[in-house]
Amino acid sequence: MPRDLPIIDAHHHFWDLTHNDHPWLRPDHPPIPFRYGDYGALRGRDFLPENYDALTGHHRVVATVTMEGEWNPADPTGESAWIARLHARTGRPAGHVAQAWLDREDVEAVLATQAAIPLVKGVRHKPRTAVAPDRVERGAPGSMGDPRWRAGYARLAPHGLHFELQAPWWHLGEALDLIEAHPETPLVLNHTGLPSDRSAEGLAGWRAAMRRLAQAPQASVKISGLGLRGRPWSLEDNRPIIRETIEIFGVPRCMFASNFPVDGLCGSFVTIFDGFREAVADLPWPDQLALFHDNAIRTYRLSLPLAAGAA
């Protein structure tokens, strides 16, 4: 594989646990339910640009986009302010997806503050979700069907912000409802729709849900978060998911991302990005550039030059 492919990592985290407040990462905080199981290796450890750089190996990462990292919700704009200071000092990240709680009374003030920070391109609020497809409660408080939550979502477009969704695939029907109600707001699906159930039945459900969401041209997807509990990251496990996602959404609506340091629980940065590269090595070079670089520039409205030869 050519080693000169420019990469924009479209989803990762920075945190400085010595100075900042991420409750779930404090050693004294009770562990939260987590899809990869034990996340003790993340707790109490900073993850800053120098830590990130030490992991990328031979991959040419030219820019990155940070995702909110469950900063204390009592201070929803604090993380973005810190990220802006980090950018001023280090030049990174190139863009940020901020925290916002769409069903809170302060949502308008929070969105206005976030939108005033040039690095902030969108927001994430993980909606209430069910543990299984047959447990979904349409309209449940805190879910994408909650009228208060939807009213907050309607405020995104006036602030020039898009929405990032992290939810299991069995909630993608609700996401499609949101898009149809608010077509002016782009939606970026995180972590490939969370296909953690790799049984034939589970994959059939994931595939059908992804095909429904892909009907909306406003929806795009980040191919990331593919780790499986108790298994090391492998191309054998994840190649079918990667290729089906690209087939369903099309190259222009897919991006690759590391989700580091979280996905470091499943595999090294080099292992994961070597796997991404190998999974699409047969695609035309312009498609590879789009998946690893150009689509992220467009989605996150980054002021970076397109890679030479990009479509």
Side-chain angles (χ1 to χ4, degrees), residues 102-152:
L102 299 181
D103 53 357
R104 282 188 5 181
E105 294 290 343
D106 64 353
V107 61
E108 177 61 29
V110 168
L111 293 179
T113 300
Q114 301 286 27
I117 299 172
L119 279 176
V120 172
K121 310 300 181 178
V123 302
R124 181 171 75 169
H125 172 183
K126 295 177 184 176
R128 174 179 172 179
T129 59
V131 298
D134 60 354
R135 301 286 293 277
V136 174
E137 298 177 43
R138 289 276 183 161
S143 74
M144 284 184 277
D146 177 358
R148 284 175 57 88
W149 202 97
R150 291 170 68 91

Side-chain angles (χ1 to χ4, degrees), residues 82-283:
W82 173 72
I83 287 285
R85 294 192 297 272
L86 184 68
H87 172 84
R89 180 170 62 84
T90 68
R92 291 182 290 174
H96 180 62
V97 176
Q99 180 185 125
W101 298 85
L102 299 181
D103 53 357
R104 282 188 5 181
E105 294 290 343
D106 64 353
V107 61
E108 177 61 29
V110 168
L111 293 179
T113 300
Q114 301 286 27
I117 299 172
L119 279 176
V120 172
K121 310 300 181 178
V123 302
R124 181 171 75 169
H125 172 183
K126 295 177 184 176
R128 174 179 172 179
T129 59
V131 298
D134 60 354
R135 301 286 293 277
V136 174
E137 298 177 43
R138 289 276 183 161
S143 74
M144 284 184 277
D146 177 358
R148 284 175 57 88
W149 202 97
R150 291 170 68 91
Y153 187 93
R155 298 172 183 264
L156 294 174
H159 288 288
L161 298 168
H162 74 257
F163 184 69
E164 301 255 343
L165 172 64
Q166 183 166 328
W169 55 260
W170 48 85
H171 286 279
L172 296 188
E174 294 169 275
L176 187 58
D177 290 345
L178 272 180
I179 293 172
E180 290 174 346
H182 303 285
E184 70 282 2
T185 303
L187 184 148
V188 181
L189 178 64
N190 292 182
H191 302 332
T192 336
L194 298 175
S196 56
D197 179 1
R198 301 292 176 89
S199 68
E201 181 181 14
L203 287 176
W206 169 81
R207 190 176 299 115
M210 294 286 275
R211 290 194 183 282
R212 286 196 297 272
L213 183 64
Q215 294 171 7
Q218 300 90 339
S220 58
V221 59
K222 285 190 282 199
I223 300 173
S224 60
L226 293 176
L228 297 171
R229 183 180 295 208
R231 291 173 65 92
W233 201 102
S234 75
L235 183 56
E236 181 181 4
D237 283 337
N238 294 315
R239 186 199 302 267
I241 300 292
I242 293 167
R243 292 306 295 251
E244 283 202 72
T245 300
I246 294 170
E247 184 272 326
I248 290 169
F249 279 84
V251 166
R253 291 196 285 158
C254 296
M255 298 169 281
F256 285 115
S258 73
N259 192 35
F260 260 62
V262 175
D263 274 27
L265 297 171
C266 306
S268 73
F269 187 101
V270 170
T271 294
I272 292 171
F273 265 87
D274 278 354
F276 290 159
R277 295 284 311 272
E278 180 62 29
V280 298
D282 62 314
L283 296 183

